[in-house]
Amino acid sequence: MQYGPDPSSIYPNENIKSICYIKNLITRPNIIVGDYTYYDDINGAERFEEHVTHHYEFIGDKLIIGKFCAIAKGIEFVMNGANHRMCSVTTYPFNIMGHGWEKATPTLGDLPFKGDTVVGNDVWIGQNVTVMPGVHIGDGAIVAANSVVTKDIPAYHIAGGNPVRITKKRFDDDLIDYLLKLKWWDWPARKIFDNLEVLCSGNLSRIKETNYEKSIVKEKFS
């Protein structure tokens, strides 16, 4: 029996060609994506990598996206290669224009570097969102459409705007802590299948019926 779509497929539902599992389309070594994370774009979900801009291997930054994320069309991940030298009189990138201006090529140490961009697991990103370099978006977070994400978003928080601001927590602290320990996205396919009703229930207390501690022990020694 099959317990859900094949995580190694490009189209999880062959009848919906606007949704692709990103992991199976990545060609760049500096982009890492978890299972079941999808990009939804009727104009070409297969071209997700085109939405990761200014991303150069020699800079060394990575885009890391977890499992079970839902990313809507119009996303842009702006990476560290977009940065200009700011410690000098001008920010103009003379060197990339050539014709002798190469002598003004900055060293990597002259350029701002924000580190890796990291998106956690089970994150929902709305349409036309821009994520700036080095941002960390926590597990279970929601980013509203048309937002510009300039700072970190904590796990299970909702954020939106330009620049982005935190609007509220999705759940109380006890439930957030429980979910971060539960890590349902790491469950095997059968266990997710068996708990779909709980995971999708509006009765949030039902999730504690899964009892993650006993589940971990059982799976470890089974």
Side-chain angles (χ1 to χ4, degrees):
M1 181 176 177
Q2 186 173 354
Y3 299 104
D6 181 357
S8 65
S9 63
I10 292 177
Y11 304 104
N13 186 334
E14 288 293 333
N15 297 315
I16 305 176
K17 298 295 187 180
S18 64
I19 293 179
C20 287
Y21 279 160
I22 300 172
K23 179 180 179 179
N24 307 313
L25 296 165
I26 295 302
T27 63
R28 301 185 206 170
N30 47 359
I31 300 177
I32 301 167
V33 183
D35 289 340
Y36 301 102
T37 285
Y38 73 82
Y39 178 52
D40 182 1
D41 190 341
I42 196 170
N43 297 316
E46 303 88 352
R47 301 199 300 271
F48 172 80
E49 282 185 320
E50 296 178 13
H51 298 270
V52 184
T53 63
H54 307 90
H55 200 195
Y56 311 117
E57 286 189 46
F58 69 88
I59 292 179
D61 56 339
K62 293 181 173 63
L63 171 60
I64 302 170
I65 304 175
K67 302 176 183 178
F68 289 96
C69 293
I71 302 176
K73 69 178 181 179
I75 185 71
E76 182 175 6
F77 289 97
V78 181
M79 304 301 288
N80 284 280
N83 288 325
H84 291 210
R85 177 168 43 197
M86 295 191 294
C87 58
S88 54
V89 172
T90 179
T91 61
Y92 191 84
F94 289 96
N95 58 293
I96 67 173
M97 306 304 167
H99 302 282
W101 282 358
E102 298 91 341
K103 68 178 184 178
T105 299
T107 66
L108 288 180
D110 290 334
L111 300 173
F113 184 79
K114 304 294 185 180
D116 295 337
T117 298
V118 181
V119 178
N121 305 280
D122 191 23
V123 173
W124 174 23
I125 300 178
Q127 293 185 9
N128 303 315
V129 169
T130 300
V131 180
M132 300 304 289
V135 164
H136 286 211
I137 301 175
D139 297 327
I142 298 174
V143 184
N146 302 307
S147 296
V148 178
V149 185
T150 56
K151 63 180 181 180
D152 293 353
I153 300 174
Y156 290 100
H157 282 59
I158 299 173
N162 180 9
V164 77
R165 63 181 182 87
I166 310 302
T167 56
K168 64 177 181 179
K169 298 177 183 178
R170 291 184 59 195
F171 313 121
D172 62 46
D173 289 340
D174 287 342
L175 183 53
I176 289 174
D177 182 64
Y178 183 87
L179 293 172
L180 291 174
K181 292 176 180 176
L182 184 70
K183 297 182 186 294
W184 69 263
W185 43 82
D186 288 337
W187 290 350
R190 171 64 187 271
K191 185 171 180 179
I192 291 174
F193 181 86
D194 290 342
N195 286 278
L196 283 177
E197 290 79 6
V198 175
L199 290 170
C200 298
S201 173
N203 181 356
L204 299 178
S205 63
R206 288 189 62 193
I207 191 64
K208 295 189 177 181
E209 296 171 7
T210 60
N211 198 328
Y212 73 89
E213 291 177 344
K214 291 183 179 178
S215 298
I216 290 172
V217 172
K218 182 178 179 182
E219 289 166 10
K220 182 176 180 181
F221 294 101
S222 60

